[in-house]
């Protein structure tokens, strides 16, 4: 099956700093999503981004499907950004059979 | 988007017993999914539950262990049967609207 690797595995930032999270996948995909799992375990869908660039407030994401990677940018980080960030991919166009990546654990400190 | 209610939020169970987790979506959805997240790990898909048909299980998961019901387009249940301590995990219900996936708050299961 498809392999999804995320880097870095762990990241500690001071509040206000910027960061880039990376997601590499081993085969072509038609569906790619980014999620944030907060410290209480709730998963929030951040982006559906099989290709191109999207922005939502302080977050933006870029997927280069031909090179099999996606990037999540967090600007001016806040303590509420802490948690685990997952990318998930599938080779169908729908959200079925999403394979989740290894995750990046982010801690934002004051 | 979809708002998903899942219960119970947590439970402690004895080995050999079964637990049924309920998942309610605030709108009709075609596809619902059940995931497992072991402590400190990523998410693994257990099965896809489509209304009107049997659930489709991923490799390593079987119907006898994880029976699933999907009686209508807004509701699903997952049962964890004959539990052992290895079943201690977070179980997550999810639903797809268009291409996006949304999650319930999860059920944290501990098996003693």
């Amino acid at each position: 099956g498809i392999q999804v690797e995320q880097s870095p595995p762990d990241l500690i930032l001071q509040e206000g700093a910027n960061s880039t999270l990376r997601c590499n996948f081993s085969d072509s995909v038609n569906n790619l999503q980014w999620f944030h799992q907060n410290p209480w375990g709730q998963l929030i869908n951040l982006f559906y981004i099989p290709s191109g660039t999207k922005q939502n407030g302080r977050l933006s994401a870029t997927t280069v499907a031909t090179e099999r990677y996606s990037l999540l940018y967090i600007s001016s980080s806040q303590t509420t950004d802490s948690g685990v960030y997952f990318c998930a991919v599938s080779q169908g166009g729908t959200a079925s059979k999403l394979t989740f990546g290894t995750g990046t654990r982010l801690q934002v400190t004051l | 988007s979809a708002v998903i209610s899942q219960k119970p939020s947590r439970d402690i169970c004895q080995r050999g017993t079964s637990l049924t987790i309920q998942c309610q979506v605030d709108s009709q959805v075609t596809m619902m999914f059940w995931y497992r997240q072991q402590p400190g790990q990523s998410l693994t898909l257990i099965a896809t539950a489509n209304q009107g048909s049997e659930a489709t299980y991923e490799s390593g998961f079987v119907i006898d262990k994880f029976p699933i019901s999907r009686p209508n387009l807004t509701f699903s249940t997952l049962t964890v049967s004959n539990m052992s301590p290895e079943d201690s995990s977070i179980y997550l219900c999810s639903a797809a609207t268009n291409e996006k996936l949304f999650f319930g708050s999860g059920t944290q299961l501990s098996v003693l």
Side-chain angles (χ1 to χ4, degrees):
Chain A
I2 195 166
Q3 305 298 313
V4 186
E5 296 289 332
Q6 293 182 239
S7 60
D10 295 281
L11 186 59
I12 300 175
L13 297 175
Q14 271 201 319
E15 197 172 43
N18 303 327
S19 62
T20 301
L21 283 57
R22 187 177 179 103
C23 171
N24 292 331
F25 40 96
S26 61
D27 204 346
S28 60
V29 299
N30 291 316
N31 189 314
L32 188 147
Q33 303 183 39
W34 282 95
F35 297 87
H36 173 220
Q37 187 169 38
N38 66 25
W40 296 271
Q42 179 67 55
L43 278 150
I44 305 298
N45 191 304
L46 298 176
F47 292 103
Y48 163 72
I49 186 166
S51 63
T53 298
K54 289 186 178 180
Q55 180 155 6
N56 184 2
R58 296 182 296 104
L59 303 182
S60 64
T62 295
T63 298
V64 184
T66 54
E67 297 188 20
R68 300 180 184 171
Y69 73 90
S70 183
L71 303 174
L72 178 69
Y73 305 95
I74 305 174
S75 64
S76 304
S77 58
Q78 301 175 359
T79 56
T80 52
D81 295 329
S82 297
V84 183
Y85 290 80
F86 291 103
C87 70
V89 304
S90 74
Q91 297 181 294
T94 65
S96 61
K97 289 186 174 291
L98 280 170
T99 298
F100 277 71
T102 50
T104 292
R105 184 173 300 274
L106 173 65
Q107 182 179 352
V108 181
T109 62
L110 291 172
Chain B
S1 68
V3 177
I4 302 173
S5 303
Q6 186 175 338
K7 59 181 182 182
S9 58
R10 61 178 63 232
D11 207 341
I12 301 173
C13 301
Q14 297 296 318
R15 71 168 64 214
T17 62
S18 298
L19 175 72
T20 295
I21 303 168
Q22 298 181 5
C23 180
Q24 180 77 49
V25 187
D26 70 339
S27 59
Q28 294 185 338
V29 294
T30 302
M31 292 187 290
M32 295 181 71
F33 308 91
W34 289 95
Y35 283 83
R36 183 173 73 182
Q37 186 176 28
Q38 295 181 305
Q41 302 296 312
S42 185
L43 282 74
T44 301
L45 180 63
I46 297 171
T48 300
N50 291 328
Q51 193 265 341
S53 62
E54 283 198 7
T56 303
Y57 290 83
E58 298 302 305
S59 176
F61 299 96
V62 295
I63 187 171
D64 290 346
K65 177 67 175 177
F66 298 101
I68 288 171
S69 77
R70 182 79 199 275
N72 57 51
L73 290 174
T74 63
F75 188 79
S76 180
T77 66
L78 169 75
T79 298
V80 186
S81 303
N82 189 24
M83 288 184 285
S84 67
E86 292 71 35
D87 294 320
S88 296
S89 283
I90 298 173
Y91 292 86
L92 294 146
C93 168
S94 62
T97 62
N98 299 316
E99 302 85 2
K100 295 182 71 170
L101 195 65
F102 299 92
F103 283 90
S105 54
T107 296
Q108 185 166 351
L109 172 62
S110 298
V111 184
L112 304 178

